[in-house]
Amino acid sequence: MIGFDLTAEQREFQALAHRFAEKTIRPAAPEADEAEEVPWEVLQAAHQIGLLTFHLPEGYGGGGAESTLTRAIVDEELNWGCAGVGTIIGGLGLCATPILLAGSDEQKLKYLTRFCEPEKVTLGAFALTEPSAGSDAGGIITQAHREGSKYILNGYKTFITNAGIAEIIVVFATVDISLGLRGITAFIVERDWPGVVAGKKEKKLGIRASHTASLAFEGVEVPLENRLGEEGEGFEIAMHTFDTSRTLIAAAAVGVARAAFEHARDYAHERTQFGKPIASFEGVSFILADMAAQIDAARLLTWRAAWLADQGLPCTSESSMAKLVAGDVAMQVTTDAVQVLGGYGYMREYPVEKWMRDAKIMQIYEGTAQIQRLVIAKRLGGEPGSMASA
């Protein structure tokens, strides 16, 4: 049976996130974007009402709303507020996900509870990308050499969300380059450990409120108990994490697109030319109609991928489809919103140019649009019951 009704809990989280985005995130977003600074007061306020850790288990101090669909609903609203803020919060979830997937009971208790400390904002980061290993995650050369009860970590990561402000970092390294993917292993690293060095903060086209930087690991000693899973399981942990995170990026893209659409729609009904609102002209109304249809389609793909994840069913193709379509929709819709506003849309006094800048990253991080196509294409097997025959 297919249904689209949200649970009472999901509606409550949706309303909470929307109110927070409207009343707290949006007023702070322009200044944070202009200054390219993390709005810590917004993060603190979000933490106080549980929006940073609502998806973590109650046993560790979280909100217990572990459904991927609930997370997607909340992420759409937060990114409707500001994709930069949404990216910071998403970085925490991206770090927590592999710990939830592969962490021992001791690791979960030690680190997930730190995210949930009520009086302090503790952020996380997910360190996979390297200068020579972006789309090709198997090209990782950061090394982890075991010495008795510890590993020595040496290497360099780039374009890492929350790199300089996260206290907890999930790092992917290889224990043996000759093993390729089978050598990649995941570790939980703390930012204040000797040898962990955050590089300069990048200056970005969009999501400027978020912190993006490089990370260097110079002889970092990582205790054996901080290895996630077994040696060689890191690539699988990363890919399972992406099944969730790509769905959530899709939700974020829907939020950005929706923000731009709503502003363009309202503007088109208020702006008059030739004696009537420009929304009455087909040249504009058809653009708005396409925007609305594309956003709805992207959201439905996102919800399907999230639902599959919640059922424990395979969703690699579906999460890639959602991210691919939603990312492209965000870019198209925000571009169209600028067009509807005309010269005003191009001016920084109006928010649509920010949403257009923010949208571009949705086609890039967590795997580019081209990588999503590659993932989908590899799974077009056509076996009975597969998505190719659905």
Side-chain angles (χ1 to χ4, degrees), residues 334-348:
T334 55
T335 302
D336 286 343
V338 171
Q339 190 69 25
V340 169
L341 268 70
Y344 292 109
Y346 201 69
M347 301 301 150
R348 294 172 70 176

Side-chain angles (χ1 to χ4, degrees), residues 166-242:
E167 295 187 20
I168 302 165
I169 310 164
V170 172
V171 181
F172 295 84
T174 179
V175 296
D176 187 341
I177 290 178
S178 68
L179 293 176
L181 298 179
R182 293 180 290 112
I184 297 175
T185 305
F187 302 90
I188 304 173
V189 175
E190 300 189 29
R191 184 168 57 94
D192 61 358
W193 286 354
V196 180
V197 181
K200 71 177 182 67
K201 186 177 70 172
E202 302 288 353
K203 295 182 73 66
K204 306 188 295 292
L205 172 72
I207 57 168
R208 293 177 179 175
S210 66
H211 186 290
T212 305
S214 59
L215 280 170
F217 303 94
E218 302 170 353
V220 179
E221 295 186 4
V222 183
L224 177 62
E225 59 264 28
N226 275 50
R227 185 185 69 203
L228 270 177
E230 300 298 324
E231 287 190 0
E233 292 182 352
F235 185 76
E236 184 177 356
I237 291 170
M239 294 305 106
H240 283 308
T241 299
F242 285 152

Side-chain angles (χ1 to χ4, degrees), residues 50 52 61 90 184 192 245 264 322 359 386:
L52 297 189
I184 297 175
D192 61 358
S245 66
S386 75

